Amino acid sequence: PHLVSRATMSGELDCKEVSRLLSEGLDKTMAPPQRARLRLHLVVCQTCRDVDAQLAFLRRAMQSLSRRDPGRK
């Protein structure tokens, strides 16, 4: 799979940083310029788009489970 190796001098994010931001849900609270860099990375990197889709699926599944049985811990 294609991985964008390191952040460049122009401020692009690398795959490791993108994965961290997505998995921690931090992409929602980022400043607009950094969010734009994240979205640009997702446009060019299929691997990170796949990670984003998998995380979204897991979040939806967890929300669905919690709605079905809200008292379960």
Side-chain angles (χ1 to χ4, degrees), residues 30-41:
M30 291 174 12
Q34 189 177 17
R35 189 172 334 154
R37 287 192 300 271
L38 174 86
R39 295 296 165 208
L40 178 61
H41 179 92

Side-chain angles (χ1 to χ4, degrees), residues 49-67:
R49 284 195 306 273
D50 292 344
V51 168
D52 191 28
Q54 291 167 358
L55 289 169
F57 172 80
L58 290 172
R59 285 186 182 113
R60 285 190 308 272
M62 294 301 292
Q63 288 171 351
S64 176
L65 288 173
S66 68
R67 282 192 297 261

Side-chain angles (χ1 to χ4, degrees), residues 13 15 24 28 30 34 36 44 46-47 56 58-59 62 67:
L13 300 172
C15 292
E24 293 178 5
K28 313 271 187 298
M30 291 174 12
Q34 189 177 17
V44 299
Q46 180 65 50
T47 301
L58 290 172
R59 285 186 182 113
M62 294 301 292
R67 282 192 297 261

Side-chain angles (χ1 to χ4, degrees), residues 17-37:
E17 182 68 4
V18 167
S19 293
R20 184 187 70 78
L21 291 168
L22 292 172
S23 68
E24 293 178 5
L26 297 178
D27 55 312
K28 313 271 187 298
T29 61
M30 291 174 12
Q34 189 177 17
R35 189 172 334 154
R37 287 192 300 271

